[in-house]
Amino acid sequence: PGEEVAQSPALTSYRPDGSGEALSRLDWLPRLRPDTELVMFSSFDRTGSFNDGFTGAYSCLRHHRGHCVLAEYGGPGVIQRIYFTHAEEHRDGILPKGPGRLLIYLDGAEEPALDVSVDEFFSGKLEGFPSPLAQGTEGGAFVSYVPISFSRGFRVEVDTDDVRFYQINVALLPPGSAVEPFRHPPDAHRRRTLERAVALWRAPQARAIPAASQAEVISREVALGPGEEQAFELPVGPAMLRGVWLEGDGARSPRGQISLRWDDATAPAVDLPLRSFFGTVVGGHPYGSLLAGVTAKERYNLFPAPYRQAARLLLRAPASEPLVVRLRFAVQRLHGAPLGLGYLHARTSSSKPAAGGVAHPFLRRLSAGHYVGTVVAIAGASGIPPYWLEGDERFFVDGQLVAHGTGHEEYFNAGWYSTKDRLDGPFEGPLAGVTLFDDDGRAHRTGAYRWHLADPIPYREGIVAELEHGPLGFFPADYESAAFFYDVEP
């Protein structure tokens, strides 16, 4: 269980079908999504202030028979993520008026396809919604990545007229698209698919590159003096880089740089500080996620990276100290040209300090591809709560706003920062977590990661991904981030 079931990654583009198979297929992540759109429904404040759920003013699209409608759409697609946080800061409970029911209607049916208590939905014990695919997080929120497909539309309701903080991410498909019908309880095939995902998510690093992939693992000793660099040519393609590891004393807190160049490109597609490449920040705690992590012995990055002919990996030591590590990387041969796969890219961005009312940019790009990950580090004034976390994430695709979140910590599957038993310290999850949350007397520091394995954000012409600094922008803070994405260009 948990191992990928095919020996070679699919070489064609991808359309979500609701089967859930993509949750256990890291090698599918590069597959381009040219006819898929992502849209988020959320409780964000439509006036641009920060009432993103505190009063529930924007938490219902409309009311239906005394119920609050959270999201609805007519046409085919897949619900990919459902997120709630506690309704109140110091009192447990997702709904302000106490326990309630979540109802999901599909394809115009009068009866709900799912009618379950909100608490049970995220308990990890509901059949078809196992932990960790659906669970409460240590950061004070609740999230489900179990796909719910529909052919002619959907509606999500709760049986109350009062809701607070929520987000629902949905992949929209072209008319007439075939999707695997959602059924509850699941049939045997669906159960086996979810079991593979559960096995992978519970032991991400150990099972991410199974023997079935037949990946070649190459190991090199690296000893660089201050400012020196060393390049490594990867095996001739078509192939896919399946993982990069650093081991040794120098891997515990590396301060160097890594770059990756694909095919005939004249500039690297990935060019990151080592800490960002492995999903952490200065001072960050060890963690293990599906796509990157830091252990006592090594750091790893498992973003699959296909190329057609050639690939080059380069390590550079910082100017002030040597870099001595053992580098390992795994390369999987592909049977055929990866015409439907995008190239892995990663970019850094900094705002020091961020200006009040001006968003920090994760990524601005004119091309086609899909956005798959964010690492961010923020440092603000010591001695006060990190009010700069009130800013929302926003994604503009092809000139249109498709996703507007409800606050920094919600984007990372957390809630209620600086509150006991909420986001009051580091926590890790398979797709999102916080690696640093403290006040060292000089600054209040936050570091976090979010991987869009289950809900990539496709773009055809361009994308702007950003994080508001504000609306309480009069609290200064420094931002650093790294954005991971797949693109048609090398």
Side-chain angles (χ1 to χ4, degrees), residues 80-346:
Q80 297 177 315
R81 173 178 176 261
I82 299 178
Y83 163 96
F84 285 88
T85 187
H86 292 282
E88 297 181 9
E89 185 173 6
H90 296 289
R91 185 171 71 89
D92 289 349
I94 297 172
L95 300 177
K97 295 181 178 180
R101 301 194 72 77
L102 177 73
L103 301 95
I104 300 179
Y105 295 84
L106 303 177
D107 302 329
E110 291 293 327
E111 296 298 321
L114 190 68
D115 179 354
V116 63
S117 76
V118 178
D119 292 342
E120 186 181 6
F121 182 76
F122 295 107
S123 68
K125 301 177 182 178
L126 177 66
E127 188 174 8
F129 291 83
S131 175
L133 308 183
Q135 65 178 7
T137 77
E138 295 178 13
F142 306 85
V143 64
S144 170
Y145 285 107
V146 176
I148 301 174
S149 55
F150 50 92
S151 298
R152 300 187 306 279
F154 81 98
R155 187 173 73 250
V156 178
E157 298 180 354
V158 290
D159 65 342
T160 177
D161 61 357
D162 189 8
V163 180
R164 298 296 165 86
F165 302 89
Y166 80 93
Q167 300 177 1
I168 299 176
N169 297 38
V170 185
L172 307 182
L173 305 176
S177 297
V179 295
E180 184 168 309
F182 172 80
R183 296 184 180 91
H184 191 262
D187 59 20
H189 170 71
R190 171 82 163 194
R191 285 197 299 271
R192 287 194 297 270
T193 299
L194 295 177
E195 286 169 0
R196 287 195 294 269
V198 167
L200 174 65
W201 288 36
R202 285 180 176 170
Q205 187 186 11
R207 297 182 181 270
I209 304 179
S213 71
Q214 298 179 341
E216 177 186 2
V217 179
I218 301 168
S219 181
R220 296 287 186 269
E221 302 294 330
V222 179
L224 301 176
E228 292 182 345
E229 62 183 38
Q230 185 173 356
F232 303 89
E233 303 298 329
L234 275 61
V236 175
M240 179 183 290
L241 179 65
R242 293 301 306 270
V244 178
W245 296 260
L246 287 187
E247 303 174 70
D249 292 341
R252 295 176 184 173
S253 56
R255 294 186 54 230
Q257 194 87 0
I258 186 170
S259 67
L260 293 163
R261 185 177 299 181
W262 314 122
D263 291 338
D264 57 357
T266 58
V270 175
D271 192 12
L272 293 180
L274 282 169
R275 63 176 181 273
S276 301
F277 183 71
F278 296 111
T280 189
V281 301
V282 175
H285 289 240
Y287 78 101
S289 79
L290 273 175
L291 289 161
V294 179
T295 71
K297 296 182 179 180
E298 64 182 9
R299 296 179 174 233
Y300 66 93
N301 179 301
L302 301 174
F303 276 92
Y307 56 94
R308 297 184 183 183
Q309 296 176 335
R312 183 174 184 260
L313 185 155
L314 184 143
L315 291 180
R316 183 182 304 112
S320 59
E321 62 187 67
L323 179 65
V324 180
V325 292
R326 179 179 299 108
L327 167 69
R328 288 191 298 130
F329 51 90
V331 178
Q332 178 181 356
R333 303 284 184 175
L334 299 181
H335 304 295
L339 299 178
L341 309 184
Y343 291 97
L344 177 66
H345 288 247

Side-chain angles (χ1 to χ4, degrees), residues 335-372:
H335 304 295
L339 299 178
L341 309 184
Y343 291 97
L344 177 66
H345 288 247
R347 294 285 187 274
T348 58
S349 179
S350 65
S351 302
K352 295 186 176 183
V358 178
H360 167 74
F362 290 149
L363 178 66
R364 293 171 180 166
R365 185 168 179 86
L366 296 176
S367 189
H370 52 281
Y371 190 97
V372 294

Side-chain angles (χ1 to χ4, degrees), residues 8 122 139 174 204 225 247 261 338 357 384 397 417 451 460 463:
S8 180
F122 295 107
E247 303 174 70
R261 185 177 299 181
I384 61 173
V397 169
Y417 57 80
W451 314 133
R460 297 186 185 91
I463 185 171

